[in-house]
Amino acid sequence: GESVGLHLPTLSVQEGDNSIINCAYSNSASDYFIWYKQESGKGPQFIIDIRSNMDKRQGQRVTVLLNKTVKHLSLQIAATQPGDSAVYFCAEKYPGANSKLTFGKGITLSVRP
Amino acid sequence: ETGVTQSPTHLIKTRGQQVTLRCSSQSGHNTVSWYQQALGQGPQFIFQYYREEENGRGNFPPRFSGLQFPNYSSELNVNALELDDSALYLCASSYGFNSPLHFGNGTRLTVT
């Protein structure tokens, strides 16, 4: 069936290091992908998105890479800070789904001081 | 710019009861979606509203229903509550279907 999954449940990084969070998606028809950050007690916060006609997109301290050949999405966070500690979700949307996003289970990023 | 706001923040109900959750969309947004997030899981799509009509539904039974009002605010109604309905209910808004969803902080519903 259709699913969006994350390879690892938790990721621990040293403050100042770069973080890479990976995500696999199974629906090859998906054409839009989003990364969200969710802190405890809050709703998902938009980080960055990418459409299927792109391979890479950069934001402030974040980069999203899309590899459609292997259906893989990654989020890179440069110079990870304690405030980056949260659960990260990737989500996909396929054509005709309007605003429906399919989320994975999430990965917890823990930043060590 | 006002973000997505939801009320109440927490709610406790008894099995079999009915509940109404409310959402105010972000200013300028005309599409609202509702998601259910169980503990430790990603959000699951319930349904979406556009121009006051349901415009897409996930795998949820008819006892989950909603409304969107002319000012783009929205309600989620759940009838005949079950224990498994305990979850965080998230409202998200966007402008149209091709822009990012912006989420509120959710309503934590506990069914006992």
Side-chain angles (χ1 to χ4, degrees), chain A residues 36 38 43 51 98-99 101 104, chain B residues 35 37 48 55 98 101 104-105:
Chain A
Y36 284 95
Q38 188 172 25
R51 301 193 184 276
N98 294 333
S99 296
L101 294 176
Chain B
Y35 286 76
Q37 186 176 23
Q48 169 191 285
N55 189 28
N98 292 315
L101 292 185
N105 286 330

Side-chain angles (χ1 to χ4, degrees), chain B residues 9 19 39 56 59 63 67 76 80 102 104:
Chain B
T9 56
V19 68
L39 200 61
N59 188 26
R63 59 189 184 84
L67 287 171
L76 166 66
H102 293 269

Side-chain angles (χ1 to χ4, degrees), chain B residues 31-49:
Chain B
T31 302
V32 65
S33 305
W34 285 90
Y35 286 76
Q36 180 195 66
Q37 186 176 23
L39 200 61
Q41 303 292 318
Q44 298 291 313
F45 176 74
I46 301 176
F47 45 53
Q48 169 191 285
Y49 279 81

Side-chain angles (χ1 to χ4, degrees), chain B residues 1-15:
Chain B
E1 183 179 84
T2 306
V4 178
T5 58
Q6 294 186 241
S7 63
T9 56
H10 295 81
L11 200 53
I12 300 175
K13 288 286 190 178
T14 303
R15 187 172 51 185

Side-chain angles (χ1 to χ4, degrees), chain B residues 54-80:
Chain B
E54 187 179 295
N55 189 28
R57 188 177 186 93
N59 188 26
F60 282 82
R63 59 189 184 84
F64 285 77
S65 63
L67 287 171
Q68 184 186 30
F69 299 101
N71 65 354
Y72 304 124
S73 65
S74 177
E75 288 183 355
L76 166 66
N77 300 288
V78 187
N79 294 322

Side-chain angles (χ1 to χ4, degrees), chain B residues 2 5 8 11 16-17 20-21 24-26 32 34 36 38 43 68 75 79 85 95 99 101 106-107 109 112:
Chain B
T2 306
T5 58
L11 200 53
Q17 286 187 316
T20 297
L21 310 182
S24 293
S25 300
Q26 183 167 319
V32 65
W34 285 90
Q36 180 195 66
Q68 184 186 30
E75 288 183 355
N79 294 322
D85 295 333
Y95 182 74
S99 61
L101 292 185
T107 294
L109 174 65
T112 62

